[in-house]
Amino acid sequence: MDSRFDRSLLRDADLLREDLFIDGAWTPGSGGERTEVVDPATGVVIARMASAAAADVERAITTADAAAPAWGRLPAPARSRILRRWYDLIVEHADDLATILTAEQGKPFAEARGEILYGAGFVEWYAEECKRTYGDVIPTNVEGRRLLTLRQPVGVTAAITPWNFPSAMILRKAGPALAAGCPMIIKPAEETPLSATALAELAVRAGIPRGVLSVVPGPPVLVGEILTSHAAVRALSFTGSTEVGKLLMAQSARTVKKVALELGGNAPLIVFDDADLDAAVAGAMASKFRNAGQTCVCANRLLVQSGIHDAFVKRLQVAIEALTVGNGFEEGSEQGPLISEAAIEKVQRHIGDAVEGGASVLSGGRRHSLGQTFFEPTLLIGVHRDMLVANEETFGPVAAVLKFETEDEAVDVANDTPFGLAAYFFTTDLGRMWRVGENLEFGVVGVNTGLISYEGAPFGGVKESGVGREGSRHGIDEFTELKYLCVDGLAG
C-alpha cells in the first residue's frame, strides 16, 4: 500500500506541503526532523511533516518582528483587499482543502468542506472589519486640549491550534490578527499540520507579505515555550485543553502578553417538558455527534426533564442508530474515526465508569467493526452528575442522558462544573428562555438549536473555559492595543 498521500485526489497538488513556512518560503527546517501524519481511518502514513527546531521558531519570530511595522502601517483598505483575495482562494479550493482535512483528521468530507467554508467566513468578515477599528474623540476637560483614542496593532502574534478543527481554528485567529495589522506565527497540532500549510500556500498566492504569516509545526513543549517566552511575541491565541491553556497563560505572564484562550468545555443540553421534541432531538444530534463528538462545544451532558424523558430517549435512540459510520471519503458517511487510540480509551473509560455506577447502554458502547479508531455512536441513560461522563469532556460519540425534575435543578446541575464554554436548552416557554439563558454560567448559549457558531457573533468561555472572544467586532480587539492621546496647546 502506498504510504503517501495520493496527490491525484487534489486538483491542485501544490497545496500539499510538508515543509515549514517561514519568511515567505518553504523550508525543511534547521534540524531535518520529520514527523508522520497518519490517516486515522486507515492507519496509513500520508505525509512526513518537517518539525521545527528552536532555531526555526526563533527565525519565524525575528522575521515576523521585522515585517510588523510595514504590515501595521499598510492602509486598512490595502490589507482588506489581500485578505479578501485569501478568502476567495480558500473558497475556490474548498474541495482540495477538505480532502486534505479529511485525510489527516478523519471527519466526513461534507463536514470537512463545511469547516473550510466556515473558517473562510472569518477571513471575509475581518477583511471588512479591519476598516472599522475605530478610535474615539473624547469631550475635552480643559480648554485648548483634545482627547482621543486609537486602536493600534499589538505586534507579533502567535496561534496554537488544535487537531479537531485544523482549518477553522487557524482562520478564526489569523483573520483578525492580520486584519489588525499583526503578523502571526501558527503552531498547528502535530496530528493535522497539512491543513495549516495548505492555507499558508494560498496566503502566498493572495499576496500576504513575507514574514506576516508563518507555520511552524513541531514539538508542542519546545515551540510553546519559545512563543510564550519571547519578548517580541505580544499576543497569544490558543484553542485546546484547560490544562495546557493554564500552562501557556502562566508562561505568557513572564512577558505580560495578551492572551486569548478557548479551553475545555462540559456543555449541558437541557430539554424541558415543553420543548419541541423534533427540534430537541435534531439539536442534540447536531451538537453531540458532529465531528464524532470531538468538539469543545458538543453536548457532553443531556439533561432531560422527567415528563418528556422516555419519549425523547426513544426518538434519540432511533436517530443515533441511523447514523452511518465510515471513512470520511465514503459517500454518505456521517461519523468518521476518533483521532487516536488514546481518544478511544477515554471513551471506553467513561462508558465503563457510567455502567459501573448504574447507567445503561441503550445503543453502541463498543469499538466499531470497521476497526482502527472507529467507535459506535453510543446512548447512555441513567447517568448521574457524579459520573466521569458528566464531569469530564468525553470528546467522543457518547450521548449521556441525565433525568431532572425542576428548572432550578436543571440549572444547578448544568452550572455544577468548573467549565463554562457552551450550553444549550430547548423550551417553548418565553419566560423560561430568558430565565435559563441568563442563569446559565456559560459564554455561549444556544436556545432551541444545537448549532451556534457564526463569524459575526462573539465566541468564548467563562470560568476555566478561557478568556477573550473570537469572531464579531470583539474578536479583533484581542490583537489591538488601545492608545490614549492627550493633545494640549491648541488654544488660540
Side-chain angles (χ1 to χ4, degrees), residues 22-24 60 63-65 67-68 183-185 208-214:
I22 301 172
D23 197 21
T63 58
D65 196 34
M184 173 164 273
I185 300 159
I208 292 176
R210 291 176 55 180
V212 171
L213 187 71
S214 297

Side-chain angles (χ1 to χ4, degrees), residues 99-449:
T99 297
I100 292 171
L101 199 164
T102 293
E104 66 177 347
Q105 201 274 340
K107 66 180 61 176
F109 177 82
E111 195 173 320
R113 195 175 191 281
E115 177 182 335
I116 300 302
L117 298 178
Y118 165 70
F122 287 91
V123 179
E124 181 185 38
W125 174 272
Y126 287 107
E128 293 301 314
E129 197 64 19
C130 71
K131 295 181 285 187
R132 292 187 284 269
T133 51
Y134 301 135
D136 297 294
V137 176
I138 303 168
T140 187
N141 61 332
V142 176
E143 185 179 353
R145 173 181 288 184
R146 296 295 181 269
L147 315 176
L148 57 149
T149 62
L150 307 174
R151 280 278 176 193
Q152 295 184 310
V154 69
V156 176
T157 67
I160 300 177
T161 57
W163 52 261
N164 57 339
F165 290 94
S167 289
M169 295 304 97
I170 287 172
L171 298 173
R172 200 161 78 175
K173 299 175 190 302
L178 270 58
C182 302
M184 173 164 273
I185 300 159
I186 298 165
K187 192 278 178 204
E190 289 185 293
E191 296 89 344
T192 55
L194 300 175
S195 291
T197 52
L199 290 171
E201 170 62 27
L202 294 179
V204 173
R205 300 180 193 181
I208 292 176
R210 291 176 55 180
V212 171
L213 187 71
S214 297
V215 179
V216 287
V221 173
L222 180 145
V223 179
E225 169 66 26
I226 296 172
L227 292 176
T228 55
S229 64
H230 203 295
V233 178
R234 297 309 312 146
L236 172 73
S237 182
F238 169 74
T239 296
S241 72
T242 295
E243 179 183 12
V244 174
K246 289 179 178 179
L247 174 63
L248 294 172
M249 192 176 195
Q251 291 175 339
S252 296
R254 294 174 297 189
T255 49
V256 197
K257 301 186 194 309
K258 294 189 74 168
V259 292
L261 307 174
E262 193 243 292
L263 308 178
N266 184 11
L269 186 148
I270 308 169
V271 184
F272 289 101
D273 281 348
D274 59 85
D276 179 318
L277 257 184
D278 291 334
V281 171
M285 293 297 295
S287 174
K288 174 71 260 182
F289 292 98
R290 185 166 58 101
N291 199 22
Q294 300 174 116
T295 85
C296 52
V297 295
C298 77
N300 203 56
R301 303 166 287 157
L302 277 62
L303 314 179
V304 185
Q305 200 161 14
S306 58
I308 204 172
H309 176 274
D310 292 352
F312 175 83
V313 167
K314 183 177 180 180
R315 294 196 192 191
L316 184 65
Q317 183 176 8
V318 171
I320 288 173
E321 292 178 353
L323 281 173
T324 300
V325 180
N327 188 304
F329 289 116
E330 293 177 359
E331 188 72 27
S333 176
E334 296 173 290
Q335 180 187 302
L338 300 189
I339 191 65
S340 66
E341 185 63 28
I344 288 279
E345 292 171 359
K346 184 176 186 181
V347 168
Q348 291 176 319
R349 184 169 69 254
H350 280 196
I351 294 173
D353 174 78
V355 170
E356 185 177 334
S360 301
V361 179
L362 287 191
S363 299
R366 300 179 298 275
R367 286 177 175 269
H368 199 278
S369 59
L370 289 171
Q372 291 300 129
T373 54
F374 288 94
F375 201 87
E376 294 178 342
T378 299
L379 175 59
L380 294 173
I381 63 169
V383 174
H384 301 296
R385 64 196 293 180
D386 58 346
M387 295 176 177
L388 288 178
V389 75
N391 286 278
E392 299 178 2
E393 268 190 309
T394 302
F395 238 60
V398 180
V401 179
L402 297 79
K403 185 187 294 187
F404 72 90
E405 297 296 333
T406 67
E407 179 182 309
D408 287 344
E409 178 190 356
V411 172
D412 178 63
V413 173
N415 289 338
D416 185 21
T417 174
F419 304 104
L421 186 55
Y424 311 85
F425 67 96
F426 290 80
T427 181
T428 55
D429 184 321
L430 182 60
R432 176 174 280 158
M433 289 181 190
W434 283 106
R435 288 193 306 273
V436 176
E438 292 175 350
N439 290 328
L440 287 172
E441 298 170 352
F442 296 83
V444 181
V445 179
V447 185
N448 294 326
T449 180

